[in-house]
Amino acid sequence: MIVIEPRIRNNVCITAHPQGCAAQVRAQIHYVRSRGALASPKRVLVIGASNGYGLAARIVSAFGSGAATIGVAYERAGEPHRSATAGWYNSAAFQQEADHDGLPAWNINGDAFTEAVKDETIDRIQSKLGEVDFVVYSIAAPRRIDPATGEIFSSVIKPIGRPFRSKGIEFITGRITTMTAEPATEAEVAHTVKVMGGEDWELWIRRLSHEKVLAPGALTIALSYIGPELTRAIYRDGTIGRAKADLEATAKRLDAVLKTSGGSAVISVNKALVTRASAVIPGVSLYISLLYKAMKERRLHEGCIQQMDRLYRNFLFSGEDIAKDDEGRIRLDDWEMRSDVQQAVAESWEKVTTENLGQYADMDGFRDEFLRHHGFGMPGIDYSMPVDPTKI
Ligand code: NAI
């Protein structure tokens, strides 16, 4: 038994609290329940299911519409003197709550990029569900080993063509700084596309289809981001933006294939949110903390679970044609990109300094949410008590 406290290095929290993560999963379940039942597919595969948007989607499917879910994630279990990753506790908590409610759920822990994990998932679908009718692809990963060649690819977050220099924030200390990043090499661009682009999503869908575990009419979705001018050079026009463009092109290809059996592949452009993945992007932390302030003031703020709940109810399964932009994408970033919100953020961006931070940025909201993703700061948990890190 050990006392587990947040330990943060380079914007990454390397500890997580088992009971806090479980409480955070229960809070998301509670939110979905409070919104009432919804009708969506009943046999669901979520790839990247232990955290952020993927976890939220799994919760909406299971607890909003009673779906059976298979969740794939890549997480580290706890040891007697070392906490597990947050996602490991989240998956265990999800399973516990689903079991309690009689909702069929299976976790697969391993590298989704490998053939072995795809094989294991297909076996599980065949033996438990027969087919799946909805596949959510929500991976955010730093590296990928090519299953065909064994080559290792790493993603980088860099501008393309010229150096990036921008205001930024050290979100732990609240100090406004200048962030810089050198432009990516051609190889770095290609590697980032290989990791975060659409190739693995396509491999999954083609494999599921080939093994006949994708139901006729099945829907699949992956998540993209665009964002404002302020982050354009580092995000949408940078390496990660190239990967997102590739993901979006993949959606069009997959959609054409799935259409022949009445199915579809869709991109949802989601809102910028604090997650384990987004906290490490230079400049984006400052943007998010200004955005949170502007959106909370207008009562437009959403977290992962609110975004996913709205995606299901208002877009994917509303019973009407799915509203899409000119590029065929769902725009769940509609409130983030509202002109009054963006204008407020742009003005704050100009004015914000270390001294007046509280006036323009919701740094506390950012930090609280970051910590909550690791199970810290949840009400009702006594963090001074020793806990067993190997279970929730
Ligand atoms: P996250 O870090 O909260 O969750 C990532 C998930 O991927 C976890 O479940 C993790 O276990 C899983 N994962 C990572 N590597 C894996 C591997 N090799 N095998 C199996 N599972 C693996 O990330 P977040 O922020 O929820 O991102 C998910 C997607 O949403 C990404 O495509 C991201 O670009 C997109 N997105 C995120 C936004 C944000 O602001 N956070 C905004 C819009 C889109």
Side-chain angles (χ1 to χ4, degrees):
M1 302 279 269
I2 53 170
V3 173
I4 303 178
E5 289 172 338
R7 279 174 51 206
I8 298 167
R9 304 245 166 86
N10 298 327
N11 296 344
V12 175
C13 184
I14 56 174
T15 52
H17 197 278
Q19 274 92 63
C21 287
Q24 187 266 124
V25 168
R26 282 196 298 273
Q28 294 194 46
I29 293 171
H30 178 75
Y31 173 78
V32 172
R33 287 243 175 77
S34 74
R35 303 268 296 130
L38 68 121
S40 63
K42 302 293 185 237
R43 299 169 299 178
V44 179
L45 169 62
V46 181
I47 304 161
S50 61
N51 245 313
Y53 280 125
L55 172 64
R58 192 180 188 191
I59 289 173
V60 179
S61 273
F63 294 91
S65 118
T69 58
I70 296 176
V72 179
Y74 198 15
E75 302 291 349
R76 196 193 65 235
E79 295 164 24
H81 293 286
R82 187 190 191 198
S83 78
T85 51
W88 195 88
Y89 294 135
N90 292 342
S91 295
F94 178 94
Q95 182 85 52
Q96 195 175 67
E97 296 299 320
D99 289 351
H100 179 264
D101 281 20
L103 295 166
W106 299 272
N107 291 332
I108 293 174
N109 192 34
D111 184 350
F113 298 136
T114 61
E115 285 300 304
V117 165
K118 290 183 175 76
D119 290 344
E120 190 183 343
T121 307
I122 287 159
D123 279 353
R124 197 67 59 91
I125 298 172
Q126 279 166 341
S127 63
K128 303 294 183 189
L129 300 174
E131 295 174 323
V132 286
D133 30 35
F134 184 34
V135 180
V136 178
Y137 188 87
S138 183
I139 298 250
R143 71 189 62 81
R144 171 172 174 227
I145 302 175
D146 186 298
T149 64
E151 197 181 337
I152 300 174
F153 295 92
S154 294
S155 66
V156 297
I157 296 165
K158 289 189 174 181
I160 296 175
R162 55 198 139 114
F164 173 69
R165 192 181 165 83
S166 148
K167 234 176 185 171
I169 193 162
E170 286 170 4
F171 75 83
I172 303 304
T173 60
R175 212 161 62 81
I176 295 289
T177 55
T178 301
M179 303 275 179
T180 54
E182 287 306 308
T185 62
E186 279 302 311
E188 285 174 324
V189 175
H191 282 218
T192 306
V193 171
K194 192 86 183 171
V195 179
M196 287 295 286
E199 190 174 273
D200 184 58
W201 183 28
E202 184 158 3
L203 287 174
W204 268 100
I205 297 302
R206 289 192 184 275
R207 193 66 216 282
L208 295 171
S209 169
H210 182 253
E211 305 285 350
K212 306 207 172 351
V213 292
L214 202 57
L219 172 69
T220 184
I221 184 160
L223 308 176
S224 190
Y225 183 66
I226 298 174
E229 263 327 293
L230 291 169
T231 59
R232 176 173 286 279
I234 191 74
Y235 197 95
R236 193 67 199 192
D237 287 350
T239 50
I240 185 80
R242 285 284 177 85
K244 289 303 183 194
D246 183 74
L247 188 76
E248 292 172 20
T250 304
K252 288 186 176 150
R253 255 192 331 272
L254 285 177
D255 193 53
V257 175
L258 294 178
K259 253 202 182 92
T260 56
S261 57
S264 149
V266 183
I267 288 288
S268 174
V269 180
N270 278 31
K271 174 197 183 198
L273 272 181
V274 183
T275 61
R276 284 169 61 86
S278 64
V280 295
I281 307 179
V284 167
S285 302
L286 178 59
Y287 169 71
I288 291 180
S289 62
L290 302 177
L291 178 73
Y292 275 24
K293 177 108 177 163
M295 292 190 80
K296 283 179 184 175
E297 278 171 5
R298 289 165 180 76
R299 299 186 177 282
L300 292 175
H301 180 69
E302 296 173 297
C304 290
I305 195 68
Q306 287 82 11
Q307 277 262 293
M308 280 305 170
D309 186 83
R310 188 156 71 90
L311 175 68
Y312 278 55
R313 287 178 205 270
N314 293 13
F315 291 88
L316 293 179
F317 312 114
S318 67
E320 288 165 23
D321 284 350
I322 302 174
K324 294 182 186 153
D325 70 8
D326 295 345
E327 297 289 327
R329 305 168 296 201
I330 293 173
R331 297 304 297 266
L332 215 56
D333 64 343
D334 47 357
W335 298 351
E336 169 181 354
M337 298 313 288
R338 245 173 59 169
S339 59
D340 57 329
V341 172
Q342 283 303 319
Q343 199 180 332
V345 173
E347 284 168 16
S348 300
W349 183 278
E350 288 304 317
K351 292 181 191 152
V352 70
T353 62
T354 306
E355 291 67 39
N356 66 19
L357 190 65
Q359 198 182 333
Y360 296 108
D362 181 23
M363 220 48 237
D364 291 343
F366 184 109
R367 273 194 218 104
D368 287 354
E369 201 168 307
F370 179 77
L371 289 172
R372 272 204 307 277
H373 278 300
H374 301 84
F376 297 109
M378 292 302 295
I381 307 256
D382 182 352
Y383 289 95
S384 65
M385 292 294 287
V387 291
D388 179 352
T390 64
K391 58 177 197 236
I392 49 163

